[in-house]
Amino acid sequence: MALPRTAPSSWMQSLDFPSQLLETGSNDYELYEEDNEFVLSVELPGFDPEEITASWDSGVLNIAAEHDDEQRGERRTYHQRFRFPKSVADEEITAEYTNGILEMRLPVEEAVVSGREIEITS
């Protein structure tokens, strides 16, 4: 993840430090549509595959991970939900975890057009 840069104050200018180390919001995933499927890549470094769960329910993908580090007495958790704008073939969803990246592929079902067009007047 690239750190955002804003104009540094004069005393920090020569140090070339990013002026903002933490940002609000989450950039730990990438989601795009390609070849009739959604591709979701989530950064989950430090987790083992058995510590990650993914579930699909009514158009919502839920990803959760939990890691207990007994030596340090720490617990790391991750939880994110994704809602998709198109119907997904839920039986064909695949997931692969490699080098700290969870990549999920969610095939889009053929859209069935229903309803009627509404006339817009001005």
Side-chain angles (χ1 to χ4, degrees), residues 20-54:
Q20 184 178 354
L21 295 176
L22 299 174
E23 61 184 16
T24 58
S26 179
N27 290 333
D28 59 354
Y29 68 89
E30 180 180 25
L31 176 63
Y32 57 94
E33 188 175 355
E34 164 185 271
D35 298 329
N36 291 326
E37 69 180 356
F38 290 106
V39 180
L40 173 66
S41 297
V42 182
E43 296 176 13
L44 294 169
F47 289 95
D48 291 328
E50 56 273 359
E51 298 172 325
I52 302 168
T53 59

Side-chain angles (χ1 to χ4, degrees), residues 2 6 17 29 34 41 56 65 89 104-105 113:
T6 56
F17 284 131
Y29 68 89
E34 164 185 271
S41 297
W56 178 262
M104 300 197 64
R105 294 187 171 268
V113 178

Side-chain angles (χ1 to χ4, degrees), residues 43-109:
E43 296 176 13
L44 294 169
F47 289 95
D48 291 328
E50 56 273 359
E51 298 172 325
I52 302 168
T53 59
S55 61
W56 178 262
D57 184 31
S58 302
V60 177
L61 176 66
N62 187 46
I63 298 175
E66 187 174 306
H67 176 75
D68 288 320
D69 187 342
E70 294 175 9
Q71 291 178 340
R72 295 183 180 174
E74 295 177 349
R75 180 182 208 167
R76 291 182 54 217
T77 60
Y78 176 89
H79 185 242
Q80 184 81 331
R81 289 186 176 163
F82 301 90
R83 182 172 298 277
F84 293 85
K86 296 180 181 178
S87 292
V88 170
D90 58 341
E91 296 295 322
E92 297 176 30
I93 297 172
T94 61
E96 183 177 335
Y97 183 70
T98 307
N99 296 329
I101 305 290
L102 175 66
E103 181 179 280
M104 300 197 64
R105 294 187 171 268
L106 301 97
V108 175
E109 288 184 326

